[in-house]
Amino acid sequence: MKVEFSGSVSKSTDQSGIFGQGSGSALDGLAYTLTYIYDTAVGTRTALNGKNDQLKGGTAYGAANPTTSAVLTINGQSQSVMGSFGSSYYIEDDSFNLLDQFALVAQDSTVGNDGSFKGGYLQAIFASFSEFIPTNLESSFFANIPAGEIGSFSFKDYDGVSNAFKTFTEGDLSLDQVTVTRTDVAAVPLPASGLMLLAGLGGIALLGSLRKKRSASLL
């Protein structure tokens, strides 16, 4: 599955200039896209009475990591998180409070014996009273997100020997829109005339390959 958020950056600092604005710059007001791709067949998945669906994995959960990629793009520059330390995807329909919720988190983290650490963190969480969110992590949908909902990002690389950050970038993301799509769409069947042509050219093997589905992926 593929989940793509869009909006603008706020409360940010990019001391390392990894998003192309120069070291020590703020990224506030810049547009961004945040894209998660995850595989619902990987990791630990739980569902409850058709009201919520959760998928998680990574070292922190003792399960295979369902995240294929999580990428934040600002100012034409992209930074990625693979979710190896922890990934969590959660969707819920709270009918009692008439509130739908969707939460996605991907985190990488490594710690050295000298106190060094390196990690990345991408989070998007929102709740909506007005937009219908399917309670299945394999459902496609689009939603305009209510004002005030935010996500966050962090990329840090700390050197324990020099006691200094090589990379220090973090901030908030306004969540304006979200689009969720399946990534295992089957090929469109060819018309009968096209099939006859392929057969005439010995293209039966090619036709078979066109009918194969790509594996389902989703973050």
Side-chain angles (χ1 to χ4, degrees):
M1 297 293 292
K2 179 180 179 180
V3 183
E4 185 171 71
F5 291 91
S6 61
S8 59
V9 182
S10 64
K11 299 180 181 178
S12 64
T13 179
D14 187 6
Q15 293 187 7
S16 311
I18 62 175
F19 286 106
Q21 288 290 94
S23 299
S25 61
L27 305 170
D28 295 11
L30 294 179
Y32 77 86
T33 57
L34 173 59
T35 305
Y36 295 86
I37 297 178
Y38 61 90
D39 187 344
T40 55
V42 178
T44 301
R45 187 176 180 186
T46 57
L48 178 63
N49 299 327
K51 293 296 183 180
N52 62 53
D53 193 359
Q54 183 174 25
L55 176 68
K56 58 186 179 182
T59 304
Y61 296 106
N65 175 23
T67 301
T68 302
S69 67
V71 180
L72 174 64
T73 301
I74 303 172
N75 194 38
Q77 304 296 313
S78 297
Q79 299 294 326
S80 63
V81 173
M82 297 308 298
S84 57
F85 178 75
S87 296
S88 177
Y89 301 89
Y90 180 76
I91 196 164
E92 178 184 21
D93 173 20
D94 184 349
S95 56
F96 179 79
N97 293 309
L98 301 178
L99 184 69
D100 295 332
Q101 299 182 27
F102 194 26
L104 306 90
V105 177
Q107 182 176 0
D108 294 337
S109 181
T110 57
V111 179
N113 294 328
D114 59 0
S116 299
F117 67 84
K118 183 177 182 178
Y121 182 82
L122 293 172
Q123 171 183 278
I125 300 175
F126 73 90
S128 173
F129 289 97
S130 58
E131 295 286 351
F132 172 71
I133 302 174
T135 53
N136 187 312
L137 289 172
E138 295 177 346
S139 296
S140 299
F141 68 92
F142 169 83
N144 289 303
I145 302 173
E149 300 297 308
I150 62 172
S152 61
F153 65 94
S154 174
F155 297 95
K156 297 178 182 178
D157 186 352
Y158 179 75
D159 186 344
V161 177
S162 63
N163 295 320
F165 280 97
K166 297 178 181 179
T167 302
F168 188 97
T169 299
E170 62 183 6
D172 289 343
L173 303 169
S174 70
L175 304 177
D176 296 346
Q177 294 183 332
V178 61
T179 302
V180 182
T181 55
R182 294 186 64 91
T183 56
D184 63 345
V185 179
V188 177
L190 294 173
S193 58
L195 295 178
M196 293 176 63
L197 177 60
L198 283 173
L201 296 175
I204 298 300
L206 174 60
L207 177 60
S209 66
L210 289 174
R211 286 177 173 173
K212 290 181 180 179
K213 292 183 178 180
R214 290 175 289 174
S215 60
S217 298
L218 183 152
L219 44 202

